[in-house]
Amino acid sequence: QVLLNTRLLPEFDWYLMVEQSNHPLEKVLFITLLKNLSIGIVVSVLFLLLLWLTIGGYQRRLEQMATKDKLTGVMNRQAFEHHFLRMRSNMLQQGKLASLTIIDIDYFKPINDLHGHSIGDLAIVHIARLIQTSLRYSDGMCRWGGDEFLVLMPECNGEQAVARMRTLSEHIAQSPLISGSKTIPITISCGIAETQGNEELRSLVERADIALYQAKRQGRNCVVKMDE
């Protein structure tokens, strides 16, 4: 390969021509440069990919810690409040209502006292999983605190919610917690309230809590809807 460069010298009306032949080692150096560049690009891509996967993993963990209950894996209160606001906005636009249920494990304190807190935790996880199996895709569930859960059911009136919770209650009563050699029967009480227009979550929970209190007064293991 020969490199040729020309330039006109107008003062003399001459053409200056510079000719240079490639050194044999230049090709070797050029190939080495291409190899090094290729290796550098591959290493950079792998590094960026690993960095993206690592950051993505940490981000998902942080999101889970911020929105999920550590014990059961369902939504925590903060995430549920945001879920409720989104649902309420959609329901208002569509002119539809929803129902909220508070689910409380009956006699949970005696379970803790008799079998220990580790069994109590297993009971909470057990009930959470059974509740999840009864939910529709549009339903939202959270652990409200202790042994209480909230279930938000869009496009579900009070009567429909009562029927669904009674079915769930019967299913839970027939599904005792089994831990080793222990078989622990568990039941739940439910309080239900329908949404009222642009009602805040706090007010809706308070009305459902009143219904739950009535369910407990009626002997527990039952479902009560808040009278409007």
Side-chain angles (χ1 to χ4, degrees):
Q1 183 177 5
V2 177
L3 302 179
L4 180 64
N5 187 25
T6 63
R7 180 181 177 187
L8 174 64
L9 301 177
E11 295 83 0
F12 303 99
D13 197 22
W14 290 353
Y15 282 92
L16 176 64
M17 303 181 67
V18 180
E19 179 182 332
Q20 178 184 359
S21 298
N22 278 353
H23 194 280
L25 291 179
E26 288 185 9
K27 184 176 182 181
V28 177
L29 291 175
F30 182 69
I31 294 175
T32 303
L33 175 62
L34 290 180
K35 289 181 179 179
N36 290 336
L37 286 175
S38 299
I39 293 173
I41 291 173
V42 171
V43 171
S44 299
V45 170
L46 289 176
F47 174 76
L48 292 174
L49 178 61
L50 291 175
L51 183 64
W52 177 77
L53 291 174
T54 301
I55 293 176
Y58 278 117
Q59 184 176 1
R60 287 189 293 272
R61 287 185 61 186
L62 290 173
E63 289 176 354
Q64 185 174 14
M65 291 173 61
T67 60
K68 301 292 184 181
D69 174 64
K70 184 177 181 180
L71 180 63
T72 62
V74 302
M75 280 190 288
N76 59 21
R77 292 181 65 154
Q78 181 178 0
F80 186 81
E81 289 172 356
H82 289 291
H83 174 76
F84 173 80
L85 291 175
R86 291 195 303 269
M87 186 283 304
R88 184 181 65 177
S89 176
N90 293 334
M91 292 296 99
L92 289 174
Q93 291 177 2
Q94 299 171 10
K96 298 178 181 179
L97 52 78
S99 294
L100 178 77
T101 301
I102 297 184
I103 299 174
D104 182 79
I105 300 177
D106 293 332
Y107 304 109
F108 180 70
K109 187 176 184 303
I111 293 177
N112 265 337
D113 294 341
L114 184 60
H115 302 284
H117 289 280
S118 60
I119 298 297
D121 287 345
L122 288 178
I124 291 175
V125 173
H126 176 68
I127 295 301
R129 289 174 179 171
L130 291 176
I131 296 173
Q132 285 179 299
T133 60
S134 71
L135 300 183
R136 304 169 302 174
Y137 178 78
S138 59
D139 295 337
M141 169 188 174
C142 83
R143 184 184 177 195
W144 193 243
D147 60 321
E148 286 188 342
F149 298 91
L150 292 188
V151 176
L152 184 63
M153 297 172 283
E155 300 183 42
C156 183
N157 61 35
E159 288 70 24
Q160 293 169 331
V162 168
R164 289 182 59 187
M165 289 302 104
R166 282 177 178 167
T167 300
L168 173 63
S169 178
E170 293 172 1
H171 177 55
I172 290 177
Q174 297 170 4
S175 306
L177 172 64
I178 299 176
S179 177
S181 59
K182 298 179 180 179
T183 299
I184 305 171
I186 301 177
T187 60
I188 60 171
S189 298
C190 303
I192 298 173
E194 287 185 5
T195 55
Q196 295 179 346
N198 198 26
E199 184 177 19
E200 296 291 336
L201 178 60
R202 178 183 58 80
S203 173
L204 183 61
V205 171
E206 287 178 354
R207 294 193 295 111
D209 197 43
I210 294 174
L212 176 63
Y213 179 73
Q214 294 175 2
K216 291 181 178 181
R217 291 190 62 183
Q218 293 179 18
R220 303 175 191 266
N221 191 23
C222 62
V223 178
V224 173
K225 174 183 173 292
M226 178 65 183
D227 294 328
E228 306 302 336

